[in-house]
Amino acid sequence: MGILEKIDNSKLPIHIAIIMDGNGRWAKKRGFLRILGHENGVKSVRESCEACAELGVKFLTLYAFSTENWNRPKDEVNALMNLLVKTIKAETPTLLKNNIRLQTIGDFEKLPENCQIELKKIIKETEHNNRTTLVLALSYSSKWDIVNSVKKIAEKVKNNEISLDDINDEMINNSLTTGPFPHPELLIRTSGELRLSNFLLWELAYSEFYFTDTLWPDFRKNDLYKAILDYQNRERRFGKTSEQISN
Ligand code: IPE
Ligand code: IPE
Ligand code: MG
């Protein structure tokens, strides 16, 4: 029996988030420039999206560029932004064909103007697609999102639109750029690094983590299936006891 057949379709995560890491090391191992690693990561993005759409995973969030990544060498940042624009243009037909909706989280305004224009275009074109939502985290960091959210809420308190007691879990959820999406049940990080790197700190509060040594450009549908299978063998207790869960 293959891995795919072992997946229980009634226990799929609704939302999977992936920290796509290891592009640079993938390129370095081959004596290539780092950007070639990023370019080869595009196929892994396509495979992951397709696999989620085929399985019926409703949301896939991909960490594509962090707030901290702006501090990389200028050449690499420029190359990444160009690759983003090129990929969006090239992948639009695939998203439309597969009924995938594109959304973003993060500091959208910080992206170069041509990126913003292309992104807005494809977001609009795919807005009614409903098989799977692909959320790209661009110029994203969780601390940035949380600080922003606190400011929005504080502003409402200041203007007497809400009182302090109105602030709750739900309000915080809704004021984050991740607000429209459910929290991921499963987080995957490739390349063997065991950290969150400022990703979804609030949203991953009760998620299952899956780490693999596979470098992102080598990540294929089967790697995603393996992660899902591993997730399905976990017991999610949410603070309760194992007995309470199994009864
Ligand atoms: C992930 O790969 C892609 C981005 C962060 C944009 P890296 O570029 O971080 O690859 P490594 O970690 O240097 O191998
Ligand atoms: C995290 O990867 C950001 C993305 C995958 C976009 P990094 O490679 O930037 O993370 P650190 O800095 O090694 O933790
Ligand atoms: Mg990295």
Side-chain angles (χ1 to χ4, degrees), residues 18-22 25 34 62-66 68-69 72 137 189 191 193 195-199:
I18 308 182
I19 303 176
M20 311 184 286
D21 199 11
R25 277 163 282 169
R34 290 178 59 84
L62 299 177
Y63 203 5
F65 194 85
S66 73
E68 289 77 16
N69 289 150
R72 290 194 177 191
R189 184 169 189 151
S191 88
E193 303 299 352
R195 56 178 174 264
L196 288 180
S197 306
N198 214 347
F199 191 47

Side-chain angles (χ1 to χ4, degrees), residues 5-219:
E5 287 74 42
K6 288 190 190 148
I7 291 178
D8 178 348
N9 287 321
S10 69
K11 275 173 53 183
L12 282 174
I14 294 168
H15 186 172
I16 298 176
I18 308 182
I19 303 176
M20 311 184 286
D21 199 11
N23 297 353
R25 277 163 282 169
W26 184 94
K28 198 174 172 187
K29 262 187 8 191
R30 291 163 174 78
F32 299 157
L33 291 172
R34 290 178 59 84
I35 187 64
L36 250 102
H38 300 312
E39 282 173 5
N40 278 277
V42 175
K43 178 152 192 226
S44 313
V45 172
R46 199 179 303 129
E47 289 237 343
S48 307
C49 288
E50 243 177 47
C52 284
E54 285 161 5
L55 283 168
V57 174
K58 298 305 279 181
F59 297 88
L60 172 67
T61 295
L62 299 177
Y63 203 5
F65 194 85
S66 73
T67 306
E68 289 77 16
N69 289 150
W70 289 116
N71 300 321
R72 290 194 177 191
K74 231 185 160 74
D75 284 354
E76 182 168 346
V77 172
N78 288 341
L80 275 166
M81 291 300 144
N82 289 336
L83 179 63
L84 178 65
V85 173
K86 191 176 129 197
T87 308
I88 299 165
K89 283 186 181 165
E91 298 296 319
T92 305
T94 319
L95 294 185
L96 289 169
K97 192 186 87 197
N98 289 305
N99 195 8
I100 297 172
R101 177 172 74 131
L102 187 85
Q103 296 278 290
T104 64
I105 53 172
D107 195 354
F108 194 84
E109 250 75 284
K110 261 232 166 134
L111 298 168
E113 211 183 328
N114 64 332
C115 268
Q116 292 189 31
I117 292 170
E118 290 306 324
L119 280 165
K120 277 186 195 154
K121 234 196 268 172
I122 186 171
I123 289 169
K124 184 92 191 114
E125 269 183 83
T126 61
E127 73 182 337
H128 298 299
N129 290 353
N130 58 11
R131 195 171 175 200
T132 293
T133 298
L134 169 64
V135 184
L136 287 183
L138 292 168
S139 190
Y140 172 86
S141 80
S142 194
K143 285 189 176 182
W144 167 83
D145 211 6
I146 291 168
V147 167
N148 235 24
S149 148
V150 170
K151 283 185 190 164
K152 282 189 226 164
I153 294 171
E155 182 82 18
K156 284 188 188 154
V157 176
K158 195 177 92 182
N159 297 336
N160 291 318
E161 287 168 47
I162 57 166
S163 75
L164 265 190
D165 289 335
D166 293 329
I167 300 174
N168 57 18
D169 196 312
E170 198 193 342
M171 186 181 289
I172 295 172
N173 269 328
N174 293 338
S175 58
L176 293 164
T177 58
T178 54
F181 318 114
H183 292 172
E185 294 94 334
L186 172 61
L187 168 84
I188 299 170
R189 184 169 189 151
T190 58
S191 88
E193 303 299 352
L194 307 178
R195 56 178 174 264
L196 288 180
S197 306
N198 214 347
F199 191 47
L200 304 177
L201 303 179
W202 167 274
E203 299 81 352
L204 296 175
Y206 250 113
S207 311
E208 298 297 328
F209 290 8
Y210 178 88
F211 297 102
T212 169
D213 287 336
T214 303
L215 302 174
W216 181 249
D218 293 325
F219 195 86

